[in-house]
Amino acid sequence: MAAAAAQLFRGAVRAARGPPALAAAAAGRRALGSAQPGVSAGRGCRRAALAAAGALGGLWLGLWRRHQAAMAASEDDDEEEEELRQRFMAPPVSGLRELRRRRRELRSRMELLIMETQGEVCRALAALDPGATFAVDTWERKEGGGGISCVLQDGEVFEKAGVNVSVVFGLLSEEAARQMRSRGKSLKAKDGKLPFCAMGVSSVIHPKNPHVPTMHFNYRYFEIEEADGTKQWWFGGGTDLTPTYLNEEDAVHFHKTLKEACDKHDLKLYPKYKKWCDDYFYIKHRDERRGIGGIFFDDVDSPSKEEVFQFVKSCAKAVVPCYIPIVKKHCHDSFTPEEKLWQQLRRGRYVEFNLVYDRGTKFGLLTPGSRIESILMSLPLTARWEYMHTPPESSKEAEILEVLRNPKDWVH
């Protein structure tokens, strides 16, 4: 387009120089007395041609500026894409260009958020355990979608740390639909089929040192299309801490950081989701919680999609500041063989909850084409079960059990 405008401009300039035919015509008009004395018709034509050339020159300049702006925008887009690539652990499931093309859609924004969260957490963990590296495993689901699993094993600080992203879509299995209906979802299928899209980031971090707590977080978005074409959507997630030994200062820091993230949106959210967390991570057959809690929520679809997304974003951004300072504080603490043994026994409880009660594990196992290795990434490398083990009264082990059986308010 700019080249065509330049060609027009050059043609107009040539016309302004006055070709011979134009001069001859002007002389004829003067001989017939059609021109005023001292006025040249040829000059008038040249002035008109110069005016036309000026107009075309302005057009060409405008097109050139537009072209330069487009080139600059393209360069900015390339720089932004490169910046995003450096922040991610692997290319997104939906493709970076597609996500940026549809950046205003919430599904694209959520996928970008979970990708950024995965990268932020992996980099923070790797910085604490420089001798270890994350294995980055991208996978595809033949029924639709895929994911990125990042797992660090046998480090100096972390025995096992996994941070997974999954973006899957297709048709909901009957078992998964039944599980959702049991939670009050009214799902109207068409010919028994329910198209769905689910995406999320999830992580479980098992440190080696028994004085560094295990941490879990998960933030997800779900969308289902019903028989009449309407879409149900909701968000879920949370962050929780599972210490082997109680450190009240750590507990306060962890809960206070999560409360601050919740309070940005509504002061009622933290107490509501803290209690939900205590209730959800209850190991019924042991009559104790998995850990000292945090926040947990599910099936959240109000007040609006945008408002809930912004809340989820705040919670995801709180993961690193709520946990990493605790790891730094204790990762080099000394410990005894007896303390390591207690850690292994508590990890047995962690396994029990995840395999018997956890919704995410159940949904994954009930979804056709799920990647089992990624689902069971949450399990520790080592755990232990002993018959009828009971810690001595007034011991540090008994202290944490008391809190697990009777949850505390850590921020008031």
Side-chain angles (χ1 to χ4, degrees):
M1 184 178 289
Q7 187 175 356
L8 285 171
F9 177 70
R10 288 192 294 270
V13 170
R14 285 195 298 270
R17 290 173 180 167
L22 183 60
R29 284 193 294 273
R30 285 196 297 272
L32 292 172
S34 56
Q36 294 294 325
V39 177
S40 170
R43 291 176 183 172
C45 289
R46 280 196 296 274
R47 283 197 296 270
L50 284 170
L56 287 171
L59 173 63
W60 178 83
L61 183 60
L63 291 171
W64 179 80
R65 286 175 174 168
R66 186 185 300 178
H67 175 70
Q68 292 297 103
M71 290 288 289
S74 178
E75 290 176 2
D76 289 344
D77 288 346
D78 291 342
E79 289 178 3
E80 184 179 350
E81 283 192 15
E82 182 58 31
E83 182 184 345
L84 288 173
R85 287 192 186 94
Q86 292 177 1
R87 282 153 54 186
F88 298 162
M89 299 299 289
V93 174
S94 300
L96 187 54
R97 289 190 180 274
E98 180 65 13
L99 288 177
R100 295 187 68 255
R101 187 179 70 83
R102 305 174 67 174
R103 69 182 71 186
R104 290 183 175 83
E105 296 181 15
L106 189 134
R107 278 170 57 167
S108 296
R109 293 164 64 200
M110 183 65 182
E111 187 170 348
L112 287 170
L113 173 62
I114 62 179
M115 290 294 299
E116 289 179 5
T117 302
Q118 182 186 50
E120 288 171 3
V121 174
C122 286
R123 284 191 296 273
L125 297 175
L128 296 177
D129 207 342
T133 58
F134 274 96
V136 180
D137 184 16
T138 59
W139 51 273
E140 293 184 2
R141 176 176 175 267
K142 66 178 183 179
E143 291 83 357
I148 303 159
S149 298
C150 299
V151 181
L152 181 156
Q153 292 187 155
D154 283 324
E156 290 296 321
V157 175
F158 303 109
E159 181 180 280
K160 187 179 182 184
V163 190
N164 291 343
V165 158
S166 63
V167 180
V168 298
F169 50 87
L171 298 176
L172 200 64
S173 69
E174 290 184 10
E175 292 87 350
R178 191 177 303 117
Q179 181 187 350
M180 291 178 183
R181 289 189 177 105
S182 70
R183 307 202 311 263
K185 295 292 182 186
S186 177
L187 304 177
K188 301 173 184 176
K190 183 177 182 180
D191 300 326
K193 297 179 180 179
L194 282 167
F196 81 98
C197 172
M199 63 182 68
V201 56
S202 61
S203 175
V204 177
I205 301 161
H206 295 290
K208 280 191 170 180
N209 194 310
H211 296 293
V212 180
T214 288
M215 193 270 287
H216 157 262
F217 76 88
N218 174 286
Y219 292 101
R220 58 194 178 274
Y221 172 71
F222 213 99
E223 196 174 88
I224 291 182
E225 184 176 334
E226 296 191 89
D228 60 0
T230 60
K231 291 182 179 179
Q232 284 200 44
W233 60 268
W234 63 88
F235 289 87
T239 304
D240 61 278
L241 198 69
T242 304
T244 301
Y245 290 95
L246 181 64
N247 183 300
E248 294 202 2
E249 186 177 289
D250 296 342
V252 170
H253 165 79
F254 185 80
H255 278 266
K256 184 179 179 182
T257 306
L258 294 178
K259 181 179 184 299
E260 289 171 354
C262 294
D263 287 353
K264 293 176 184 177
H265 303 271
D266 191 328
L267 296 179
K268 298 177 182 177
L269 293 180
Y270 171 76
K272 177 181 179 181
Y273 294 157
K274 193 268 185 189
K275 183 180 185 308
W276 199 343
C277 187
D278 290 335
D279 293 342
Y280 176 76
F281 290 105
Y282 176 61
I283 307 173
K284 186 176 181 180
H285 60 273
R286 298 287 190 181
D287 189 27
E288 62 189 43
R289 276 77 187 167
R290 190 177 74 177
I292 62 167
I295 58 172
F296 175 86
F297 56 93
D298 205 359
D299 302 321
V300 177
D301 57 5
S302 64
S304 72
K305 189 180 287 188
E306 179 63 26
E307 288 173 287
V308 183
F309 172 74
Q310 292 299 332
F311 166 68
V312 168
K313 185 176 180 179
S314 294
C315 294
K317 295 298 181 184
V319 169
V320 169
C322 78
Y323 182 61
I324 294 301
I326 297 174
V327 181
K328 288 181 178 179
K329 180 180 174 182
H330 298 293
C331 64
H332 298 300
D333 288 1
S334 60
F335 58 89
T336 66
E338 290 75 22
E339 289 171 334
K340 187 66 178 177
L341 173 64
W342 178 244
Q343 181 194 52
Q344 299 299 295
L345 291 170
R346 294 312 308 167
R347 282 185 177 169
R349 299 290 202 270
Y350 203 96
V351 172
E352 289 176 27
F353 177 85
N354 281 29
L355 294 181
V356 177
Y357 300 108
D358 187 66
R359 287 183 190 174
T361 303
K362 285 183 177 180
F363 174 78
L365 296 176
L366 293 174
T367 301
S370 291
R371 195 163 191 271
I372 302 303
E373 287 295 322
S374 297
I375 296 169
L376 299 182
M377 175 273 307
S378 64
L379 303 181
L381 281 185
T382 58
R384 185 181 179 93
W385 285 262
E386 285 190 9
Y387 183 71
M388 298 295 289
H389 182 278
T390 303
E393 291 185 13
S394 302
S395 65
K396 291 182 178 180
E397 291 79 9
E399 180 185 32
I400 187 68
L401 278 181
E402 174 62 24
V403 173
L404 298 179
R405 289 167 180 161
N406 300 286
K408 291 182 64 175
D409 180 351
W410 298 103
V411 296
H412 295 102

